[in-house]
Amino acid sequence: MNWPRTRLFRSGLLISLGLVTEAATFFFGGPVPFLVFAMVGCVLVGAGVLDFLLFVLSQKADT
Amino acid sequence: MSLIGPAVAVLVVATVAAIAVLASHPGAFASKKGKALAFLIFFVLPVSVSGVGAMAHMEAAKSTEFCLSCHVMKPYGESLRYDDSAFIPAVHYQNGLVPRERACFTCHTTYTMFGDVRAKLNGLRHVWIYYTGQTPAKIALYQPYANRECLNCHAQARSFLEGGLHADVMPDLLSNKTSCKECHEQFHDVANVASHAKWKGAQP
């Protein structure tokens, strides 16, 4: 059974955007980059991971 | 920031590349091994990279440069260069008695089990207060400075333990009954920062 491309693409996009945001924060100093890391980067990564996990669980429920 | 930034960037690029390749080939996940690979790429790797990044930011938050990045801390940074050995922060900083790159954190954390965590949480509170314009006119410690923070280093020093001046009051110092500050009372004195001569050595 093939996983839907769009679902994987959405999860991957959220995770990728989050990781790129996190990586960018290491090139600036001070507390603001950390806040961007936590409140933007980690939230995007978390949303993407959650989207993926929910999809996996829904697949298990269907089978 | 040392090599942490480039290292995290490499991890991120590798993870994003893996996600991009695998997301464009959903057929790869049909098998059991494929599903395990998907779990690794879409869960384990991103969470691990984020965790490493968070730890790196936590370490960076201990640096003197980080503390002094807020302008309200500028006078405290200047106080580290007072050309007067009576001032405790200055003498510690200038003589390398605390690591210069962690000068603030070394003294202003609390040496208890969760002292570092509490210091970091206070730091988040300070960021909130600073960026919402609530910085008080006079910045003060939350509670009196405990001898424990001095003794964390000094209690291991022979010169302190066997030096004549401290011997008479050692039990009271160790039990925090007598504060180190009763004799060593010169600290940042930021109200008079402009009037102090400055050492022209290492800049904080």
Side-chain angles (χ1 to χ4, degrees), chain B residues 74-75 78-84 87 186-200:
Chain B
K74 189 167 174 284
E78 289 193 42
S79 74
L80 297 177
R81 292 189 298 118
Y82 288 166
D83 194 5
D84 186 340
F87 286 87
Q186 302 284 10
F187 292 93
H188 291 286
D189 192 28
V190 293
N192 301 304
V193 68
S195 65
H196 289 288
K198 308 287 190 314
W199 176 54
K200 297 202 190 327

Coordinates of all heavy atoms in Angstrom, one line a residue, chain B residues 74-75 78-84 87 186-200:
Chain B
K74 N 24.8 46.2 30.2 CA 26.1 46.9 29.8 C 26.9 47.4 31.0 O 28.1 47.1 31.1 CB 25.8 48.0 28.8 CG 27.0 48.6 28.1 CD 26.6 49.4 26.9 CE 27.8 50.1 26.3 NZ 28.3 51.3 27.1
P75 N 26.2 48.1 32.0 CA 27.0 48.5 33.1 C 27.6 47.4 33.9 O 28.7 47.5 34.5 CB 26.0 49.3 34.0 CG 24.9 49.6 33.1 CD 24.9 48.5 32.1
E78 N 30.7 46.3 32.2 CA 31.8 47.3 32.4 C 32.4 47.1 33.8 O 33.6 47.4 34.1 CB 31.3 48.7 32.3 CG 31.0 49.1 30.8 CD 30.8 50.6 30.6 OE1 31.5 51.4 31.2 OE2 29.9 50.9 29.8
S79 N 31.5 46.7 34.8 CA 32.0 46.5 36.1 C 33.0 45.4 36.3 O 33.8 45.3 37.2 CB 30.8 46.3 37.1 OG 30.3 44.9 36.9
L80 N 33.1 44.5 35.3 CA 34.1 43.5 35.3 C 35.5 44.0 35.0 O 36.5 43.3 35.2 CB 33.7 42.4 34.2 CG 32.4 41.7 34.4 CD1 32.1 40.7 33.3 CD2 32.4 40.9 35.7
R81 N 35.6 45.2 34.5 CA 36.9 45.8 34.2 C 37.3 46.9 35.2 O 38.2 47.6 35.0 CB 36.9 46.4 32.8 CG 36.7 45.3 31.7 CD 36.9 45.9 30.3 NE 35.9 46.8 30.0 CZ 36.2 48.1 29.7 NH1 37.5 48.5 29.7 NH2 35.3 48.9 29.3
Y82 N 36.6 47.0 36.4 CA 37.0 48.0 37.4 C 38.5 47.7 37.8 O 38.8 46.6 38.1 CB 36.2 47.9 38.6 CG 34.8 48.4 38.5 CD1 33.8 48.2 39.5 CD2 34.4 49.2 37.4 CE1 32.5 48.6 39.3 CE2 33.1 49.7 37.3 CZ 32.2 49.4 38.2 OH 30.9 49.9 38.1
D83 N 39.3 48.7 37.7 CA 40.7 48.6 38.1 C 40.9 48.7 39.6 O 41.5 49.6 40.1 CB 41.5 49.6 37.3 CG 43.0 49.3 37.4 OD1 43.4 48.2 37.9 OD2 43.8 50.1 36.9
D84 N 40.2 47.8 40.3 CA 40.2 47.9 41.8 C 40.0 46.5 42.3 O 38.9 46.0 42.1 CB 39.1 48.9 42.3 CG 39.2 49.1 43.8 OD1 39.7 48.3 44.5 OD2 38.6 50.1 44.2
F87 N 36.8 45.0 44.3 CA 35.5 44.6 43.6 C 35.6 43.1 43.2 O 36.4 42.8 42.4 CB 35.2 45.5 42.4 CG 34.8 46.9 42.9 CD1 35.7 47.9 43.1 CD2 33.4 47.2 43.1 CE1 35.3 49.1 43.6 CE2 33.0 48.4 43.5 CZ 34.0 49.4 43.8
Q186 N 32.0 44.7 48.0 CA 32.1 45.5 46.8 C 31.8 44.6 45.6 O 32.5 43.7 45.3 CB 33.5 46.2 46.6 CG 33.9 47.0 47.8 CD 33.2 48.4 47.7 OE1 32.2 48.6 47.0 NE2 33.6 49.3 48.6
F187 N 30.7 44.9 44.9 CA 30.3 44.0 43.7 C 30.3 44.8 42.5 O 31.3 45.2 42.0 CB 29.0 43.3 44.1 CG 29.2 42.3 45.2 CD1 29.0 42.6 46.5 CD2 29.7 41.0 44.9 CE1 29.2 41.7 47.5 CE2 29.9 40.1 45.9 CZ 29.7 40.5 47.2
H188 N 29.1 45.1 41.9 CA 29.1 45.7 40.6 C 29.0 47.2 40.7 O 29.6 47.9 39.8 CB 27.8 45.2 39.8 CG 28.0 43.8 39.4 ND1 28.8 43.3 38.4 CD2 27.4 42.6 39.9 CE1 28.7 42.0 38.3 NE2 27.9 41.6 39.2
D189 N 28.4 47.8 41.7 CA 28.3 49.2 41.9 C 28.0 50.0 40.6 O 28.7 50.9 40.2 CB 29.7 49.7 42.4 CG 29.6 51.2 42.9 OD1 28.5 51.6 43.3 OD2 30.7 51.8 42.9
V190 N 27.0 49.5 39.9 CA 26.7 50.1 38.6 C 26.2 51.5 38.6 O 26.3 52.2 37.6 CB 25.6 49.2 37.8 CG1 26.2 47.8 37.5 CG2 24.3 49.1 38.7
A191 N 25.8 52.0 39.8 CA 25.4 53.4 39.9 C 26.6 54.3 39.7 O 26.4 55.5 39.3 CB 24.8 53.6 41.3
N192 N 27.8 53.8 39.9 CA 29.0 54.6 39.8 C 30.0 54.1 38.7 O 31.2 54.3 38.8 CB 29.7 54.7 41.1 CG 28.9 55.3 42.2 OD1 28.3 56.4 42.1 ND2 28.7 54.5 43.3
V193 N 29.4 53.4 37.7 CA 30.3 52.7 36.8 C 31.2 53.7 36.0 O 32.3 53.4 35.7 CB 29.4 51.9 35.8 CG1 28.6 52.8 34.9 CG2 30.3 51.0 35.0
A194 N 30.7 55.0 35.8 CA 31.5 55.9 35.0 C 32.7 56.4 35.8 O 33.7 56.9 35.2 CB 30.6 57.1 34.6
S195 N 32.6 56.4 37.1 CA 33.6 57.0 37.9 C 34.8 56.0 38.2 O 35.8 56.4 38.8 CB 33.0 57.5 39.3 OG 32.5 56.4 40.0
H196 N 34.6 54.8 37.9 CA 35.7 53.8 38.2 C 36.7 53.7 37.1 O 36.3 53.7 35.9 CB 35.1 52.4 38.4 CG 34.3 52.3 39.7 ND1 34.9 52.2 40.9 CD2 33.0 52.1 39.9 CE1 34.0 52.1 41.9 NE2 32.8 52.0 41.3
A197 N 38.0 53.7 37.5 CA 39.0 53.5 36.4 C 38.8 52.0 35.9 O 38.4 51.1 36.6 CB 40.4 53.6 37.1
K198 N 39.1 51.9 34.6 CA 38.9 50.6 34.0 C 40.2 50.0 33.6 O 41.1 50.6 33.1 CB 38.0 50.7 32.8 CG 36.7 51.4 33.0 CD 35.7 50.6 33.8 CE 34.3 51.3 33.8 NZ 34.3 52.7 34.0
W199 N 40.3 48.6 33.8 CA 41.4 47.9 33.2 C 41.2 47.8 31.7 O 40.2 47.5 31.2 CB 41.4 46.5 33.9 CG 42.4 45.5 33.4 CD1 43.8 45.7 33.3 CD2 42.2 44.2 32.9 NE1 44.4 44.6 32.8 CE2 43.5 43.7 32.5 CE3 41.1 43.4 32.7 CZ2 43.6 42.4 32.0 CZ3 41.2 42.1 32.2 CH2 42.5 41.6 31.8
K200 N 42.3 48.0 31.0 CA 42.2 48.0 29.6 C 42.5 46.6 29.0 O 42.8 46.5 27.8 CB 43.1 49.0 29.0 CG 42.8 50.4 29.4 CD 43.3 51.5 28.5 CE 43.2 52.9 29.0 NZ 42.0 53.2 29.8

